[in-house]
Amino acid sequence: MNLDGSNMETVAAGVRNTVGFDFDPKTGHLWFTDNGRDWLSEELPNDELNEVTGPNQHFGFPFCHQGSIPDPEFGWGKSCADYKKPNALLGPHAAALGLKFYNGKMFPAKYQGAMFIARHGPWNRTVKYADISVAWPDGKGGAKVEPFMTGFVENNNYLGRPVDFLILKDGSMLVSDDHAGAIYRISYGK
């Protein structure tokens, strides 16, 4: 919308619970994590990594989850094909929070322009997990996601739960952890 409140435009609808988002420095597109609904099952639905590529896009909530699962209550008469598919699935109840494009120069070239995602971990799932993942857009509407920093769970108990990131001027990255009450600095050196 304009500063005076006129010309309001819907950019994205059907988003359940987004916490982390950032703009791709190459395309200008908004990328965001979206937490899936609870109590469908322990294994479903997955949290999503999404990209807004234009105005008035609908990402499925509450009718469709993870791009392929109709909601048992609200999905009747709806088709998941009618909504924008996630670029990647981030795991069941991952509580994907922070998302930040790496714009520093310290990390190896592989990570230049990649997205870091804080997977805080599930609160209501029997098997716990939490990590920092890294994702690369594939240029075809998808993204490759892999673990970057692990070790937040031991014997199915949380030792830490990552939340968000800050890239420092020297290219190192700060990670907040609201379980351990810590801030980690990740740097790269030879």
Side-chain angles (χ1 to χ4, degrees), residues 54-146:
N56 205 25
Q57 294 181 313
H58 197 293
F59 292 86
F61 183 79
F63 314 111
C64 179
H65 307 286
Q66 75 176 44
S68 61
I69 300 172
D71 186 86
E73 183 178 354
F74 301 107
W76 289 95
K78 306 286 184 182
S79 171
C80 289
D82 293 337
Y83 306 107
K84 189 163 184 316
K85 300 274 186 238
N87 294 69
L89 301 179
L90 299 175
H93 311 292
L97 299 183
L99 180 149
K100 188 75 166 168
F101 276 91
Y102 182 74
N103 60 2
K105 302 290 183 218
M106 179 186 284
F107 290 8
K110 171 182 179 177
Y111 300 106
Q112 306 288 320
M115 286 173 273
F116 285 88
I117 300 167
R119 295 192 321 158
H120 192 249
W123 65 273
N124 63 346
R125 191 169 182 266
T126 304
V127 177
K128 308 290 187 231
Y129 66 96
D131 68 16
I132 295 168
S133 293
V134 62
W136 297 269
D138 67 7
K140 303 174 202 166
K144 177 185 174 191
V145 180
E146 65 183 44

Side-chain angles (χ1 to χ4, degrees), residues 127-178:
V127 177
K128 308 290 187 231
Y129 66 96
D131 68 16
I132 295 168
S133 293
V134 62
W136 297 269
D138 67 7
K140 303 174 202 166
K144 177 185 174 191
V145 180
E146 65 183 44
F148 177 79
M149 180 179 173
T150 60
F152 292 101
V153 177
E154 186 176 279
N155 298 322
N156 207 37
N157 292 306
Y158 288 114
L159 301 176
R161 299 183 80 185
V163 178
D164 205 2
F165 310 98
L166 181 65
I167 310 299
L168 300 180
K169 288 181 183 178
D170 69 358
S172 63
M173 182 168 62
L174 298 181
V175 180
S176 61
D177 176 341
D178 68 356

